[in-house]
Amino acid sequence: MKRIGLLALLLVAAVVVAPAPAQQPGLDAVLASLDAQLAAEFRKDGIGGASIGVVSGARMAWTGNYGFADMEAKRAPTSDTVYRIGSITKQFTALALLRQVEAGTMQLTDPLEQYVPEVKALANRRDGWPAPTLLQVATMMSGIAREPMCPGHSIGPVSMWQQKVLSCLPATAYAHAPGTQYLYSNIGYAALGLAVERAGGRPFTDQVIDGIVTPLRMTRTGWEPVGALRSDLAHGYMRRDGRPDRTQPDRELDGRGYRVPNGNLFSTVNDLARFVMWETGTLDAPVIRRETQMFNYARTHSANGAMTSGYGLGFTVTRRGDLVALGHGGSTAGYRASALFDPRTRTGVVVLRNAEGGSFDAGAVALRILERVVAAQSPPRGQER
């Protein structure tokens, strides 16, 4: 498609792996100023807490923690505090799909209904429309609506997520023809997780843990808040008349219904930093082949008219000037998350927040920090190698 050609070329250039840059004095100065600035910004918000990490190459260059993981107990967060990461989960679902493609059990051009024939029950499909492919579902080009219209779709334990998906597919509709335009679809990603489960012959949740989380040694990442994940959990807070309220976030700890492949993982700044290091190529782990990974990051499948944002296979693309940031954000009741990276400088930022609303927005903060640290590591114009 001509409209995405420019961004695709930019991404190809962005993901050429160069030697990890030495930390420059400019980066030292930026990191030294971050804590005071972010602490002052957070004090203006005041609800819940936040944990932030900056990755440079194969190390955590800086971390900061603010506010409270538990406001009632006055418990401060750390870089090992557990947060919901919402739709960052979609990156793990996309990788589980790519693992099946590498194993030869699936092809990106396969129709979703080859593995999940129940999607034939979706409403509003017109005569002549092709069935959406796995690639279209994974890149938000399937035409499937964002959410199902079934009652109680976001209630229920993780163990029942497949049944929730199947019961909600008949109450899901097409918004437009597959492949014609971008539309973010949570129920589409849930069906994609079900396809991966059936093709792989193992529970989807096990495929993610055994094939991605464990090889990356993300020891405090999981589908449910049990054991240490529960004791170190940051409680989520919503805002009710300007006051913190954790009723719904606490209730959703028991499960979010169909929302497993599209947004149920829990993790920490330290664990997601390892994920970012793997994404930038500075941490080796047998997740998928490096050439598969680099090819995936070198393409996008949709972009806005200004070419400032797009969506790839399981990741977002955001362009600000010369910066092309890859990654994903997440949003659930009482939690906000963002994990972004710049392939060129092998720099990344993780921001986890246990409150929604307010001025301290996880996505905006992550992008702003990434812009600053990338600029500090980039040579002046005219001096690029």
Side-chain angles (χ1 to χ4, degrees):
M1 297 172 63
K2 291 183 179 180
R3 69 187 183 91
I4 67 171
L6 176 59
L7 186 54
L9 289 174
L10 285 168
L11 286 173
V12 170
V15 298
V16 172
V17 176
Q23 193 173 14
Q24 300 179 11
L27 179 59
D28 291 335
V30 167
L31 295 175
S33 68
L34 274 178
D35 186 56
Q37 293 175 5
L38 291 170
E41 289 181 25
F42 188 84
R43 282 194 294 270
K44 298 176 183 178
D45 186 284
I47 291 181
S51 296
I52 303 173
V54 174
V55 171
S56 180
R59 70 186 187 91
M60 183 83 86
W62 177 86
T63 60
N65 294 279
Y66 310 97
F68 296 106
D70 184 331
M71 296 186 69
E72 293 76 20
K74 304 300 182 185
R75 173 167 56 88
T78 72
S79 297
D80 280 324
T81 296
V82 177
Y83 295 77
R84 297 203 91 127
I85 63 172
S87 287
I88 295 176
T89 304
K90 290 182 174 72
Q91 290 191 271
F92 293 80
T93 300
L95 287 173
L97 169 63
L98 290 175
R99 284 176 56 81
Q100 292 298 331
V101 171
E102 286 192 340
T105 56
M106 306 178 87
Q107 297 186 69
L108 293 178
T109 52
D110 290 341
L112 174 63
E113 63 188 38
Q114 177 177 328
Y115 306 95
V116 189
E118 293 88 349
V119 300
K120 295 177 182 179
L122 267 61
N124 295 343
R125 182 173 175 178
R126 299 182 183 176
D127 291 342
W129 281 8
T133 66
L134 298 175
L135 179 62
Q136 288 171 334
V137 177
T139 58
M140 304 299 183
M141 295 290 290
S142 69
I144 298 173
R146 182 183 180 100
E147 304 288 352
M149 300 302 291
C150 53
H153 60 63
S154 297
I155 300 172
V158 171
S159 62
M160 300 291 290
W161 75 270
Q162 301 97 328
Q163 290 89 327
K164 281 286 186 177
V165 173
L166 294 175
S167 67
C168 286
L169 285 177
T172 303
Y174 282 99
H176 51 253
T180 59
Q181 58 183 296
Y182 169 88
L183 176 61
Y184 193 91
S185 178
N186 282 315
I187 185 63
Y189 249 79
L192 182 65
L194 186 57
V196 169
E197 176 167 299
R198 290 175 172 178
R202 297 181 60 229
F204 164 79
T205 51
D206 290 350
Q207 291 187 46
V208 169
I209 298 299
D210 297 341
I212 305 168
V213 172
T214 298
L216 287 170
R217 300 198 301 277
M218 299 172 66
T219 59
R220 298 171 73 83
T221 297
W223 292 109
E224 297 180 271
V226 296
L229 273 65
R230 172 73 74 160
S231 61
D232 292 334
L233 178 71
H235 291 289
Y237 296 92
M238 302 176 73
R239 296 167 193 264
R240 301 288 188 227
D241 300 322
R243 299 177 63 83
D245 183 345
R246 51 186 267 193
T247 305
Q248 183 177 345
D250 279 1
R251 183 172 62 246
E252 291 192 0
L253 294 178
D254 294 327
R256 303 185 68 228
Y258 87 89
R259 300 177 183 275
V260 171
N262 58 292
N264 203 79
L265 279 174
F266 294 78
S267 193
T268 70
V269 163
N270 281 337
D271 270 13
L272 285 176
R274 294 188 63 80
F275 184 60
V276 168
M277 291 174 195
W278 176 80
E279 290 181 299
T280 61
T282 60
L283 187 154
D284 290 327
V287 177
I288 57 175
R289 291 193 293 268
R290 182 64 67 186
E291 55 266 32
T292 301
Q293 178 190 7
M294 300 311 295
F295 180 67
N296 190 46
Y297 293 156
R299 57 184 175 169
T300 187
H301 299 265
S302 62
N304 64 8
M307 308 301 285
T308 56
S309 65
Y311 205 91
L313 200 165
F315 62 91
T316 62
V317 180
T318 304
R319 183 183 178 195
R320 295 292 183 271
D322 293 333
L323 171 66
V324 178
L326 279 60
H328 217 292
S331 173
T332 65
Y335 298 90
R336 296 292 185 269
S338 183
L340 305 175
F341 69 98
D342 170 45
R344 183 174 59 88
T345 59
R346 295 185 173 185
T347 302
V349 177
V350 177
V351 178
L352 302 181
R353 181 93 168 87
N354 62 324
E356 60 180 56
S359 59
F360 200 88
D361 178 76
V365 169
L367 184 58
R368 179 159 47 88
I369 294 173
L370 186 62
E371 287 181 294
R372 290 186 59 190
V373 297
V374 166
Q377 296 184 99
S378 301
R381 287 186 177 273
Q383 296 184 22
E384 295 89 347
R385 295 182 63 181

